[in-house]
Amino acid sequence: MTHCLRTFLNPSGDYRITRITIDLLGPIPVKPCEIRVRQIRSGKKIELLQAEYRAEGKTILKAHAWRMNAEEDASPRISQGYIPPELPGPQVQMYFQGVLYFPYAESIEWRFTKSDYDTLGPGAVWAKPKIPLIEGEEIDDAEALVLILDSANGVSAELHSRDWIFVPVDMTVGFYREPIGPWLGMDAKTSIGTHGYGQTTTQTFDKKGGIGHSMHTLFVRSR
């Protein structure tokens, strides 16, 4: 969906995603899919796009993306001065305890600088997809970042996955600049209230510093 929203044709200039929100309406089947994109707000400099991901005759995902016209040196660089951790060397790839089959995680190389999949608490990790998101196409860095961020709630888990589910129902990703790969990172933390829902918030980064932030809304229950 990010790829389709990013490449949706606008003949009036260089448009880039500045915020994308994806709502997960149900489990995603490993089946052929159809993605439809339409413009729901047009403008000379700003536009809003909507996308639907359909499989087996049902809408599985919906997304909205704001795209803005990018002009070099149109604004001064102002950031919060986030300093990314050093990229570690290769690490043994380990996932949730007791999980022997995790194709998504296995398709990405992970290098943790804080916590890991099997350690509770806030986590920071560099990551790089091993395979293309779409067969036959080189993955764009913004697409790779959204792909990696899908696991933010997992790398910052505060509850053991063997005892609890903490399922995201959405994901919002904001950019204040273009990511530069191939290695991209996230510094994530999860907060949970007493009524069965929570939130994962994430600082994203690359070797040049911060890129933006993301947020997941979590449904939390004991198994």
Side-chain angles (χ1 to χ4, degrees):
M1 293 182 80
T2 304
H3 172 81
C4 293
L5 289 162
R6 184 184 66 82
T7 58
F8 185 79
L9 179 63
N10 188 318
S12 64
D14 180 13
Y15 277 71
R16 300 182 188 178
I17 293 175
T18 55
R19 192 272 285 162
I20 180 171
T21 295
I22 302 171
D23 292 309
L24 293 79
L25 307 182
I28 302 172
V30 186
K31 300 285 185 179
C33 69
E34 177 188 13
I35 296 175
R36 303 171 181 173
V37 179
R38 67 187 182 100
Q39 185 186 66
I40 59 175
R41 191 270 194 195
S42 62
K44 292 182 179 180
K45 300 292 184 182
I46 302 171
E47 66 178 359
L48 180 63
L49 304 180
Q50 183 184 70
E52 287 191 12
Y53 179 112
R54 294 181 57 82
E56 299 184 320
K58 297 187 296 184
T59 298
I60 308 296
L61 304 172
K62 280 193 173 184
H64 290 86
W66 284 103
R67 297 202 314 180
M68 298 184 184
N69 183 257
E71 297 179 15
E72 195 65 38
D73 298 323
S75 54
R77 178 181 174 85
I78 300 172
S79 70
Q80 300 304 309
Y82 179 81
I83 300 175
E86 291 292 325
L87 174 65
Q91 298 176 347
V92 176
Q93 301 294 283
M94 300 178 64
Y95 312 116
F96 293 117
Q97 186 176 10
V99 176
L100 303 178
Y101 183 64
F102 198 175
Y104 160 76
E106 293 167 10
S107 73
I108 298 171
E109 182 178 353
W110 308 91
R111 297 187 185 181
F112 283 88
T113 64
K114 179 170 61 180
S115 189
D116 55 39
Y117 271 118
D118 198 33
T119 303
L120 298 182
V125 62
W126 290 92
K128 180 179 72 170
K130 297 177 183 177
I131 60 176
L133 175 67
I134 301 170
E135 187 176 11
E137 296 208 23
E138 185 175 348
I139 190 167
D140 177 82
D141 292 331
E143 299 165 18
L145 183 63
V146 174
L147 175 66
I148 291 163
L149 283 169
D150 184 60
S151 63
N153 64 307
V155 302
S156 65
E158 293 286 352
L159 300 169
H160 284 291
S161 60
R162 64 176 179 267
D163 301 320
W164 296 86
I165 59 172
F166 35 93
V167 182
V169 298
D170 63 12
M171 176 170 61
T172 296
V173 183
F175 302 84
Y176 52 80
R177 69 171 178 86
E178 286 284 291
I180 301 172
W183 286 98
L184 300 165
M186 56 182 168
D187 191 341
K189 59 183 179 181
T190 292
S191 301
I192 300 171
T194 60
H195 290 84
Y197 53 90
Q199 190 179 82
T200 296
T201 55
T202 306
Q203 165 77 59
T204 58
F205 58 85
D206 59 19
K207 287 188 175 182
K208 288 197 169 186
I211 299 166
H213 298 84
S214 75
M215 187 187 79
H216 292 69
T217 304
L218 306 178
F219 174 79
V220 183
R221 289 295 189 275
S222 61
R223 291 189 181 275

